[in-house]
Amino acid sequence: MQLRSDAVRCGTARAPHRSLLKADGITDEEMERPLVAVFNSRNDIIPGHNNLDKIAEAVKAGIYMAGGVPFEISTIGVCDGIAMNHDGMHYSLVSREVIADSLECAVQGHAFDALVCIPNCDKIVPGMLLGALRVNIPTVFVSGGPMLAGKQPGGCGPTTDLNTLFDGAAQVMNGTMTEAELKYYEDTACPTCGSCSGMFTANSMNCLCEALGIALPGNGTVPAVYSERIRLAKHAGMKVMELLEKGVCARDIVSEAAIKNAMECDMAFGGSTNTVLHLTAIAREAGHPITMDDWDAASARTPHLVKLQPSGPRPLSDLYEVGGVPVVMHELDRLGLIDRSAVTCMGPMEEYLRACTKPADGEVCRTHDNPFSPVGALKVLHGNIAPDGAIVKKSAVDPSMLCHTGPARCFDSEEEACAAINAGKIVAGDVVVIRYEGPKGGPGMREMLTPTSSISGMGLSKSVALITDGRFSGATKGPAVGHVSPEAAAGGPIALIEEGDSVTVDIEGGALTLGVNFKTYKAVCKRTASGVLPVLVTMGSLLIVAYIMQSSSTGMMNLLASDIAAVVGRFYPAAAVLIGSSGAFITGTGLGSNIMFAQMHIDAAASLGMNPITIFAGQNAGASLGNLICPNNTVAACATVDQVGNESDVMKKTFKAFAIILVLYMVLAMLYTCVLFPNFGM
């Protein structure tokens, strides 16, 4: 079998390369084997990664047992929980791209034959998936697994997790929890290594790796501290060697069918809203792009079968106990929602379903005929606030808040919103609006777990909604609508919401709308008119001047025509384009320019014996072009879209394009008048 790694270890010319490999301890015998990258995100600070050294050793053992030579390579990771609610969150989403780039560089730079990815936690899973799709070699994913949930004092009652602490901090401020109680949860809510114990972003993405077919069954749900996780890692190492032998690569697995299956599973088990962001990027990288309409359609046809934290009281380990992701896929398959044409690392989807599933238990995973909801856990919203869409985790919203109308409380940063919430300035009925936290405005699209948890801790999760052009942690619950698009920094309507405006969040109806009363509408019209009126007066005055200039009583046009014709001669068609654009520059309209100079061109054409039709066509083309750089038009446009003060920048950006097109038009005018149509219409 021809291997990619032959490029670095075969032939006389590769003696230096082999010498470097031997410096790593590689023997001549190993030099004949496939070289496999073990891409590990292990570090000391992320609790989900503390065990990844053991996972990596198990993976390498599996690879070696199956006849490969493993090489471990490290990448970065950011813990979203630690990065939350300070400048560190600006770097979280960005890390996804850094990880993808680093994987591509390492794998391509060393010509590896196959790849095992060891992620855990939020941006690392999608980052590695994006990189794996770029290099497109046989690939298997095996995560570090979820942590076990914390317990209440005495071991009774609902389990606890990281979200307990975020809510608890606000509860202390609200007087509904003591500092001592908070300290207990601080010490116990995250009791083991692993990704946080609910169906938060990390666990959502690790479960979706199973649904995509690029990870073995159990990848998303086997707890991090179980010995089964180590055995799973060994099998992942062996499995990638099997894929290499069969020639099955990452893009063969992450197909259009696999992406559809992952979307269905996401809706069924109520994944994080971040999965919409990540799976959309993964689908595009795989060559099978999906849209918000596709997500909306998946939500409409897919029942919600699993209700884990934060949507319900159960930790992810409960899903593991009843069979994990394969059980969910089996139930969806009974509804015909799983595309069996997909290929998994275990083989054809049909074989996978037959070999890896058992019936749903009916409680942790509901049966297809008795779902928690007949529609998916995530919901896409549109409206005049979000023309390009927004997303909400519907399953984590109290039924009483599925449709809510209230006054907008506007904040231009997460910090401003948190300060107001914690100070008791947000009351029942309000709609908190946090903007300028999108990919461009943040920058980096920060997660808003702290404000949503503060709302919950203040006892307002059933009476206050929140919308943002930022995003949310998978731990977020309540009527929290994120990813509002276009974002405020890109000129999205969310930037126009004013304090006290009526905002409706209709999750059931899929609408996010701003209600504008007559008083507000009148004020906007008045403000716009005051900005545009001076421009209109100026343009009107210039049109009057144009009328006077072309009047036969003044003779101004006849004089200009004879003078210009005498200077430019046979180049008059090009001059007509320049004159036309100058007229539009002065008057602000193509019509004004034509009124000003039409008679002049007729007189000049007659004196030069040229076709007046093609000359006037050049005038008209130039007049249309001159509108691009007309100061009046620029001022009017900037006043209309609330960009007063940026006129100079707009003019500079448009002038270069104007100049290039102007020269082109002048050349074409000469060609048409003097070569192609010299007698047209004469």
Side-chain angles (χ1 to χ4, degrees):
M1 169 174 64
Q2 184 72 36
L3 296 172
R4 281 165 44 100
S5 60
D6 290 348
V8 300
R9 58 186 176 83
C10 292
T12 302
R14 296 295 181 259
H17 305 64
R18 292 193 296 274
S19 183
L20 289 168
L21 288 169
K22 287 181 176 181
D24 293 328
I26 300 302
T27 66
D28 286 332
E29 291 78 10
E30 291 172 311
M31 205 73 71
E32 303 298 320
R33 297 181 174 190
L35 307 184
V36 183
V38 179
F39 207 67
N40 190 0
S41 57
R42 198 255 176 223
N43 58 60
D44 285 337
I45 192 167
I46 305 178
H49 294 215
N50 283 342
N51 66 327
L52 296 191
D53 54 345
K54 297 180 179 63
I55 300 296
E57 290 303 316
V59 168
K60 289 190 285 186
I63 292 169
Y64 211 82
M65 283 191 291
V69 182
F71 292 85
E72 187 175 349
I73 299 169
S74 298
T75 187
I76 66 163
V78 174
C79 177
D80 278 16
I82 298 174
M84 199 72 66
N85 196 225
H86 61 91
D87 285 347
M89 185 48 72
H90 291 297
Y91 297 89
S92 173
L93 187 56
V94 176
S95 73
R96 187 186 77 178
E97 314 311 315
V98 175
I99 293 163
D101 291 345
S102 66
L103 186 151
E104 181 184 5
C105 289
V107 172
Q108 298 293 70
H110 300 104
F112 284 111
D113 299 303
L115 170 67
V116 178
C117 291
I118 308 177
N120 227 25
C121 301
D122 293 18
K123 310 306 168 294
I124 302 160
V125 186
M128 287 187 178
L129 268 167
L130 292 171
L133 289 167
R134 293 177 193 173
V135 301
N136 194 32
I137 59 177
T139 303
V140 173
F141 274 64
V142 58
S143 73
M147 69 171 58
L148 297 178
K151 295 183 178 181
Q152 299 285 346
C156 300
T159 57
T160 60
D161 54 37
L162 184 66
N163 213 18
T164 307
L165 276 300
F166 277 97
D167 290 356
Q171 289 174 330
V172 171
M173 297 179 190
N174 194 34
T176 56
M177 181 181 289
T178 66
E179 290 279 0
E181 289 172 323
L182 184 65
K183 181 62 165 62
Y184 170 81
Y185 293 127
E186 180 182 325
D187 293 341
T188 63
C190 299
T192 72
C193 64
S195 49
C196 297
S197 60
M199 188 58 85
F200 309 149
T201 303
N203 291 330
S204 296
M205 291 305 305
N206 284 326
C207 288
L208 286 184
C209 283
E210 288 190 54
L212 286 168
I214 204 162
L216 297 175
N219 176 72
T221 58
V222 176
V225 294
Y226 284 15
S227 61
E228 185 180 349
R229 176 63 55 177
I230 302 298
R231 297 194 295 274
L232 183 70
K234 288 181 180 179
H235 282 123
M238 291 185 278
K239 180 59 67 174
V240 81
M241 296 303 296
E242 181 183 321
L243 296 181
L244 177 62
E245 181 68 28
K246 294 178 178 178
V248 178
C249 296
R251 287 177 177 252
D252 298 322
I253 293 174
V254 185
S255 61
E256 185 175 5
I259 292 164
K260 174 183 176 294
N261 290 340
M263 294 173 71
E264 306 294 345
C265 288
D266 201 10
M267 292 298 172
F269 57 58
S272 163
T273 52
N274 281 315
T275 59
V276 174
L277 194 72
H278 298 320
L279 194 56
T280 300
I282 291 162
R284 180 175 294 135
E285 191 68 62
H288 309 290
I290 54 178
T291 66
M292 293 298 282
D293 288 340
D294 295 322
W295 281 105
D296 205 22
S299 178
R301 66 176 174 256
T302 309
H304 181 203
L305 303 178
V306 179
K307 208 172 179 65
L308 304 176
Q309 296 169 343
S311 300
R314 298 179 180 274
L316 188 71
S317 57
D318 282 12
L319 181 59
Y320 161 75
E321 296 291 347
V322 301
V325 174
V327 171
V328 181
M329 296 179 70
H330 183 260
E331 282 303 308
L332 293 175
D333 184 59
R334 293 176 70 185
L335 289 171
L337 294 175
I338 295 295
D339 190 332
R340 291 193 169 206
S341 69
V343 175
T344 77
C345 63
M346 299 289 290
M349 177 59 73
E350 189 168 352
E351 292 183 14
Y352 172 90
L353 290 169
R354 187 166 54 247
C356 302
T357 59
K358 61 181 180 179
D361 70 304
E363 294 185 20
V364 178
C365 180
R366 294 279 186 92
T367 56
H368 68 284
D369 54 357
N370 183 35
F372 288 103
S373 168
V375 296
L378 304 179
K379 180 68 177 177
V380 177
L381 309 184
H382 288 91
N384 58 8
I385 296 176
D388 295 339
I391 194 76
V392 64
K393 192 168 187 172
K394 179 183 175 183
S395 61
V397 180
D398 187 86
S400 65
M401 291 296 289
L402 290 175
C403 187
H404 175 77
T405 299
R409 305 297 309 279
C410 299
F411 305 95
D412 291 345
S413 72
E414 177 190 4
E415 287 82 1
E416 290 179 14
C418 287
I421 297 166
N422 294 331
K425 296 180 179 180
I426 303 301
V427 299
D430 285 346
V431 178
V432 176
V433 179
I434 306 177
R435 57 213 179 177
Y436 298 103
E437 290 287 6
K440 179 180 179 181
M445 203 177 189
R446 294 198 289 176
E447 289 187 349
M448 304 288 121
L449 179 57
T450 300
T452 57
S453 293
S454 295
I455 289 171
S456 180
M458 291 291 182
L460 298 171
S461 62
K462 297 181 181 180
S463 59
V464 169
L466 185 149
I467 67 173
T468 179
D469 52 9
R471 57 193 180 89
F472 296 113
S473 162
T476 292
K477 56 183 179 292
V481 181
H483 306 196
V484 171
S485 183
E487 62 175 294
I494 191 174
L496 303 177
I497 302 174
E498 296 185 351
E499 188 79 7
D501 283 349
S502 178
V503 173
T504 297
V505 180
D506 184 1
I507 297 171
E508 202 71 70
L512 185 63
T513 54
L514 172 66
V516 181
N517 57 40
F518 179 74
K519 184 178 179 181
T520 303
Y521 179 76
K522 185 178 177 181
V524 171
C525 290
K526 185 178 180 181
R527 187 167 64 249
T528 303
S530 64
V532 175
L533 186 60
V535 178
L536 294 176
V537 172
T538 303
M539 292 173 63
S541 301
L542 290 169
L543 286 172
I544 292 171
V545 172
Y547 177 79
I548 294 171
M549 287 179 67
Q550 62 86 41
S551 173
S552 59
S553 62
T554 65
M556 294 179 68
M557 286 298 102
N558 289 331
L559 181 62
L560 280 172
S562 60
D563 288 346
I564 295 174
V567 172
V568 300
R570 302 300 298 178
F571 292 96
Y572 191 87
V577 177
L578 182 62
I579 292 167
S581 64
S582 302
F585 175 82
I586 295 170
T587 66
T589 67
L591 178 62
S593 179
N594 291 340
I595 292 172
M596 184 180 293
F597 295 118
Q599 188 61 51
M600 183 184 79
H601 294 315
I602 294 171
D603 294 343
S607 68
L608 294 168
M610 291 183 171
N611 189 341
I613 296 176
T614 55
I615 287 178
F616 188 76
Q619 149 71 31
N620 197 54
S624 300
L625 184 61
N627 286 316
L628 284 176
I629 58 167
C630 172
N632 302 325
N633 292 346
T634 303
V635 171
C638 289
T640 303
V641 298
D642 199 25
Q643 292 294 312
V644 175
N646 295 327
E647 292 85 357
S648 177
D649 290 338
V650 173
M651 289 280 290
K652 288 177 182 177
K653 289 179 180 178
T654 51
F655 188 80
K656 185 176 180 180
F658 162 79
I660 294 171
I661 300 172
L662 178 67
V663 172
L664 178 62
Y665 278 5
M666 292 171 72
V667 172
L668 289 173
M670 292 295 300
L671 184 64
Y672 275 101
T673 302
C674 301
V675 180
L676 298 177
F677 308 107
N679 300 311
F680 179 78
M682 296 178 68

